Every structure is written in structure tokens, then in C-alpha cells.
Amino acid sequence: MPNKIWRVVDLLDWTSGYFEQHGISNPRLDAEVLLGHLLNKSRLQLYLHFEMPVFQKHLMPFRELIKKRIEHTPVSYLTNRKEFLSLDFYVDERVLIPRPETEQLVETVLATKMDTPQRLLELGTGSGVIATSLAVHQPEWNIVATDMSEPALAVAEKNAETHACTAQITFMSGDLFEPIKQIDNPEQTQFDWIVCNPPYVKNVERDSLSPDVRDYEPEIALFAGDDGLAVIRRLIAEAPQYLAPNGKLLFEIGDTQSDPVSDLINAEPAYCACELLKDYAEKDRLVLASVSSEHSPA
Ligand SMILES: C[S@@+](CC[C@H](N)C(=O)[O-])C[C@H]1O[C@@H](n2cnc3c(N)ncnc32)[C@H](O)[C@@H]1O
């Protein structure tokens, strides 16, 4: 960045050009988000202050952000922010950056007609966006959220605190259903909903991922064995033990996984129905499997 008096507009133009040269996919947007973050202004406010000079005390840290971005550090890890269902969440390298597709999982739960407060288990909560946004929208519900990664759970707890949901969500650490096995009261081990956005990337797909994802997001949040189904397979097999009568298992899948996942559900006699839900790009993205009213969990 050459030495001169920089106005907001000059910085945005220069930075987006520089990002473009370095193969950053949304150069202008990223430049705006990073500069807005540093100046504590929204993107709209930046446009309203196009002519405003940016002084040295902001130029130095902005240079640092630019350098990290061309090394492919994701913007959300640089700003420590990600919006999810219009709520603001803290994120860092300990957690997967929540994806817009996952908002649909929460919307699907909220759109289901239910007469009583629900008991819901989220497995692999990561930053806690699913559990926390459900808690915000349904303050009567009782939610348990687990993750195998203790560092991720620390982020989830921070987000629940920000949104005043700590009394409503119990966070537990461990591999899939292991934490639930530690609960003494059998009534508390049964759930109306089990929801999960599991890792589902095949190990062999590693090289095809963008460097932003592959080199920065936690491996444990992404990869699930040679066929990408290592976690999903266990989820489908074990969930019925923890589903209350009429309970529902809802989880996200990769866009090529609907056939093998449907086969796994159909082979599991505890489920009485299975539905595939498409994302906004018309790809199969969510699986909703239900057990019957006669279902007996254990
Ligand atoms: C794809 S991320 C989803 C994070 C968050 N729920 C979201 O939707 O943004 C998967 C999460 O599952 C956790 N995880 C992976 N394998 C697990 C396992 N066997 N048991 C519990 N959690 C697991 C990871 O640590 C990660 O936080």
C-alpha cells in the first residue's frame, strides 16, 4: 500500500483490486467488511463517508488484515463475527464458521407445529449458533448441546451468554451420545428433537476445498472418513435410543449424500418416516427422520 493520504473510497478501490489479483473470491465485499470492522462502521456508513480520510493508526492494522486475508484467513476469523438468522455470533479458529444453509435447519424446527415446549439435543454445536438461535426463539424449550471439542464448547458458551440463554442450554462435552449416557435421570435422556450439522466431507475431498476452509477451519468440524458418512452413520444408528415417542432427527448432509443416507435410514427399523429437504440452491441438504408415537427409546 503506497504512502499517501487515503480516503475510504481509495482504500476500498485499492484493496479490492489487490484482493482480486490474489484470487480472493469476493474482493469488494471483503474489503468493505474488513475496513468497516476496523473503523467500527457498517458497509452503508462506509459509503456515506466515502471521502473521509483514514489515518495511520487505522492504516497499520488494516495492512495486517489485508495481509492475512491474502493468505486466505477467512474474513469471519479476522472480524470474529458471523451473522446467523439475524443474530450476531462470535467466531474464531476454534469453530466452523456457520453457513447460511444451516439457518434452514433452525427454520425447519421452528416451522414445525408443536403444542408443548420441546426438549432438544444438538450434537456438534460448534459456535452454538443452532442451539442459541433456537433458545432465543423458543425460551420455554430445554436444550442440551454437545461437542467433542472443548475449545468449540468454550465459544458456544460465550455465544449463549451474549444472547442470555445460558440458563436454557446445558453444554456437555464428548463423542456424539456419550455425554447423554452420563445423565442419571432417564427422563432427561429422551428428546423430542435431535438436531445436528455433522462433519460430512470425505477425506479425499480435502484438496478440492478452498484454502479458506481447508487451511483454517477445524478438521474435526469438516472431515468424516473416506465416504464422509462416519459421523452420520452413527447418528442414524444411535439416535432412536434417545428419541421420545414422535421424536424427530434432523440433520444436514452434503449435496451428494442423499441416496446413501436415505438407505441408512430405511435400513433402521426404528424410523417410521424420512423426508429430504432441499436448500435454496435446490440441493438435498437436510434429512428429517421421525419415530412413531409407539416408539420406545431404550
Ligand atoms: C460442521 S460443524 C457444525 C458446527 C455448528 N453446529 C454449525 O452448524 O455451525 C461439526 C461440529 O461437530 C463437532 N464434532 C465432530 N465430530 C464429533 C463427534 N464425534 N461428537 C461430537 N461432536 C463432534 C465438531 O467439533 C464441530 O464443532
Side-chain angles (χ1 to χ4, degrees):
M1 238 165 77
N3 280 333
K4 61 176 215 169
I5 303 267
W6 288 89
R7 296 171 306 161
V8 165
V9 60
D10 308 322
L11 270 181
L12 291 178
D13 289 347
W14 186 88
T15 308
S16 41
Y18 191 64
F19 281 169
E20 199 166 357
Q21 283 167 28
H22 284 82
I24 299 298
S25 44
N26 295 303
R28 181 75 186 190
L29 176 66
D30 287 5
E32 289 174 6
V33 171
L34 291 176
L35 187 60
H37 164 70
L38 205 66
L39 300 179
N40 205 14
K41 293 202 183 304
S42 68
R43 287 174 54 218
L44 175 64
Q45 286 170 325
L46 282 186
Y47 274 77
L48 296 175
H49 292 87
F50 248 6
E51 302 294 326
M52 186 178 83
V54 179
F55 296 111
Q56 201 58 27
K57 81 166 187 178
H58 285 126
L59 287 179
M60 293 284 281
F62 192 52
R63 267 193 205 105
E64 265 314 293
L65 291 177
I66 293 172
K67 184 166 158 273
K68 288 190 175 146
R69 186 65 193 112
I70 62 165
E71 288 164 358
H72 289 281
T73 309
V75 168
S76 291
Y77 289 156
L78 295 174
T79 61
N80 294 124
R81 283 187 63 190
K82 182 70 188 175
E83 197 179 292
F84 186 85
L85 285 175
S86 306
L87 296 172
D88 207 18
F89 286 90
Y90 173 88
V91 292
D92 65 23
E93 286 85 347
R94 291 173 287 179
V95 294
L96 184 100
I97 298 167
R99 306 295 202 262
E101 299 90 281
T102 307
E103 293 180 335
Q104 213 179 332
L105 185 152
V106 175
E107 286 167 342
T108 301
V109 177
L110 294 174
T112 307
K113 187 178 167 341
M114 290 162 278
D115 298 329
T116 52
Q118 302 284 289
R119 208 172 138 65
L120 180 141
L121 169 64
E122 189 204 353
L123 299 167
T125 194
S127 59
V129 284
I130 296 176
T132 301
S133 45
L134 284 167
V136 166
H137 283 90
Q138 292 289 356
E140 303 288 302
W141 289 14
N142 190 316
I143 297 175
V144 176
T146 75
D147 206 291
M148 215 169 142
S149 155
E150 302 248 3
L153 277 177
V155 175
E157 286 177 26
K158 179 179 166 75
N159 280 318
E161 211 172 301
T162 303
H163 293 286
C165 295
T166 40
Q168 213 187 326
I169 308 175
T170 306
F171 289 102
M172 303 183 87
S173 143
D175 180 21
L176 275 197
F177 293 94
E178 282 307 313
I180 309 307
K181 294 181 188 160
Q182 313 306 320
I183 299 175
D184 288 334
N185 181 347
E187 275 181 22
Q188 292 185 358
T189 63
Q190 292 185 26
F191 297 89
D192 304 302
W193 287 91
I194 297 176
V195 298
C196 183
N197 174 17
Y200 52 68
V201 181
K202 296 176 189 171
N203 291 341
V204 289
E205 289 170 338
R206 177 183 296 269
D207 291 341
S208 64
L209 295 179
S210 87
D212 298 33
V213 176
R214 184 190 58 223
D215 299 342
Y216 290 92
E217 296 200 86
E219 295 226 340
I220 191 179
L222 298 170
F223 298 105
D226 291 341
D227 62 0
L229 298 174
V231 176
I232 289 177
R233 197 174 278 112
R234 291 172 54 211
L235 179 67
I236 292 171
E238 294 176 41
Q241 293 171 56
Y242 304 93
L243 281 170
N246 281 324
K248 296 183 192 317
L249 168 66
L250 175 65
F251 60 97
E252 195 171 312
I253 56 170
D255 54 24
T256 58
Q257 291 175 328
S258 55
D259 287 345
V261 169
S262 301
D263 290 347
L264 287 168
I265 299 225
N266 292 333
E268 174 54 66
Y271 299 107
C272 66
C274 173
E275 212 182 321
L276 292 169
L277 307 172
K278 291 192 188 301
D279 62 19
Y280 301 116
E282 287 298 305
K283 293 182 171 161
D284 287 329
R285 182 63 64 190
L286 292 175
V287 178
L288 177 62
S290 318
V291 295
S292 74
S293 54
E294 275 93 55
H295 175 70
S296 137

